[in-house]
Amino acid sequence: MRNNYILVFCLLLVACKGDNRGGLPASTGKPYEVLVVAESTTAEKSVTDVLATPVEALPQREPQFDGTFCYRRRFDDMHRLARNIVVIDEDKRQYTKVALRYERNVYAAPQMVIRIQTPDSQSLNRAMNGKLGKELLSLLNRHELTVARRQLERQHNPKAEERIRQMFGIDMFIPADMTASKQGKDFLWLSNNANTGMQNLCVFTGDIDSVLRVNIKGETDEMYMKRERGRKGERERERKRAREKENEGTAIRRGLWIMEGDAMGGPYVARTLYTPQGKSLTVFAFVYAPESAKRNKMRQLEAAMIVHE
């Protein structure tokens, strides 16, 4: 028992060396991990099923979040250090409907703590299958994006950022490990050039497919990158999402890329910005990681794609 106390003390001491906002210890866990705390596995399943919703536009099935479960009676100081926590309060005498509220940096930092109040498991399940489930995912995704942006602000690549500023007149935070580059006409390709899990960011003007064909080639000119065209219904949904984003001054498209004439491929996300002068500028991120999961790698890139003032 004494050894267990020593272990807990050491872990807490290590955690305290991290992001010490307001004297809080650093949160633990990996990005996109969520600890679900509940009295029963029935209530827990309603939430973890939502967390397991597949990420859009990946070549293989990956969940939005990796959920783990803890009974309320076992929710101790170590569990409270988790970076994302969803606590389910189930009490039919106290609650008449399902409600959600959240707080940041409650026990540790950075941290998101979401509390869901529900009269019973059945009401929770219905709510999670509706708007509340989407709200839950949105809150958690925004939190993870914020954390990733703050990490970029602390560790980034000023040299690459200056090149983008000079070529395109925009400011972005570029990951520090993106040191490889290729420049073309109104085109810049940045990459970490990793042997496993290669992450890439391109900034350019012009038609996406034409630019990719000219600037990202394989071993021969007959090998070039292109976006994979999905079924008609998928294309229509993509256009609808893009139109919705255009109202916010940007268009976002997600999908899969392939290398024509080769066996390479992976996911991409393209963000097209519309300037006050009516010109368009595209930030195109893609991952090549045939040996591993791609969710976190893509979302790291999405944090870098945000243009700031």
Side-chain angles (χ1 to χ4, degrees), residues 97-297:
K97 62 180 181 179
V98 182
L100 181 153
R101 60 186 180 90
Y102 67 93
E103 298 176 84
R104 290 187 173 89
N105 303 339
V106 178
Y107 310 109
Q111 184 183 65
M112 169 68 76
V113 177
I114 298 174
R115 300 184 184 278
I116 302 176
Q117 301 167 342
T118 180
D120 50 57
S121 297
Q122 292 76 19
S123 299
L124 176 63
N125 187 58
R126 288 193 296 270
M128 285 293 105
N129 287 322
K131 292 183 179 180
L132 203 68
K134 294 178 181 178
E135 182 181 353
L136 175 66
L137 291 177
S138 178
L139 280 171
L140 291 168
N141 273 307
R142 290 204 304 269
H143 173 66
E144 287 287 356
L145 182 63
T146 299
V147 173
R149 287 288 294 175
R150 287 173 178 166
Q151 291 173 343
L152 273 175
E153 290 172 10
R154 292 192 294 268
Q155 190 174 13
H156 53 101
N157 186 338
K159 184 177 179 180
E161 292 158 5
E162 180 60 27
R163 289 180 70 183
I164 292 174
R165 190 178 300 112
Q166 291 179 357
M167 291 181 65
F168 303 103
I170 61 172
D171 290 302
M172 300 171 59
F173 286 123
I174 301 300
D177 63 349
M178 283 194 170
T179 55
S181 65
K182 175 186 175 182
Q183 186 171 331
K185 179 176 172 52
D186 298 322
F187 173 87
L188 181 63
W189 176 9
L190 301 168
S191 175
N192 63 359
N193 207 26
N195 293 326
T196 59
M198 185 171 68
Q199 295 172 289
N200 307 268
L201 271 174
C202 301
V203 185
F204 54 83
T205 59
D207 174 72
I208 293 177
D209 296 303
S210 299
V211 171
L212 295 179
R213 178 165 185 159
V214 170
N215 291 280
I216 304 183
K217 293 183 177 293
E219 296 179 357
T220 69
D221 286 344
E222 286 71 37
M223 297 179 180
Y224 56 87
M225 176 184 280
K226 67 178 185 179
R227 294 185 295 169
E228 187 176 58
R229 296 302 183 182
R231 295 184 295 272
K232 181 179 179 181
E234 293 173 347
R235 294 197 299 270
E236 290 175 350
R237 285 193 293 272
E238 179 185 278
R239 286 193 290 268
K240 179 181 178 181
R241 289 191 297 270
R243 286 195 300 270
E244 290 171 350
K245 288 296 181 181
E246 283 177 12
N247 296 328
E248 303 170 12
T250 182
I252 296 176
R253 292 176 172 83
R254 304 176 192 274
L256 301 177
W257 65 270
I258 57 175
M259 187 66 73
E260 178 71 20
D262 202 349
M264 298 176 66
Y268 77 83
V269 57
R271 181 188 297 270
T272 301
L273 312 171
Y274 297 93
T275 67
Q277 294 76 26
K279 296 182 179 180
S280 64
L281 182 69
T282 297
V283 182
F284 187 90
F286 67 97
V287 163
Y288 179 62
E291 76 294 334
S292 63
K294 301 165 184 61
R295 178 195 64 195
N296 289 13
K297 294 179 177 64

Side-chain angles (χ1 to χ4, degrees), residues 17-128:
K17 293 181 180 180
D19 193 338
N20 193 29
R21 297 190 190 96
L24 292 171
S27 56
T28 60
K30 299 177 182 178
Y32 298 94
E33 280 187 345
V34 180
L35 175 66
V36 181
V37 182
E39 295 286 356
S40 68
T41 55
T42 303
E44 169 261 339
K45 189 176 184 302
S46 296
V47 173
T48 52
D49 282 351
V50 171
L51 299 178
T53 303
V55 177
E56 182 183 5
L58 290 183
Q60 72 285 324
R61 185 183 178 91
E62 294 186 46
Q64 292 274 350
F65 291 87
D66 301 316
T68 59
F69 173 59
C70 173
Y71 283 107
R72 286 293 295 266
R73 61 182 179 273
R74 296 177 181 171
F75 186 51
D76 57 19
D77 289 341
M78 289 305 300
H79 289 113
R80 289 183 175 89
L81 294 178
R83 65 189 283 144
N84 296 302
I85 303 173
V86 176
V87 180
I88 303 172
D89 294 320
E90 184 178 347
D91 190 338
K92 61 183 178 181
R93 294 170 298 182
Q94 187 173 358
Y95 309 121
T96 58
K97 62 180 181 179
V98 182
L100 181 153
R101 60 186 180 90
Y102 67 93
E103 298 176 84
R104 290 187 173 89
N105 303 339
V106 178
Y107 310 109
Q111 184 183 65
M112 169 68 76
V113 177
I114 298 174
R115 300 184 184 278
I116 302 176
Q117 301 167 342
T118 180
D120 50 57
S121 297
Q122 292 76 19
S123 299
L124 176 63
N125 187 58
R126 288 193 296 270
M128 285 293 105

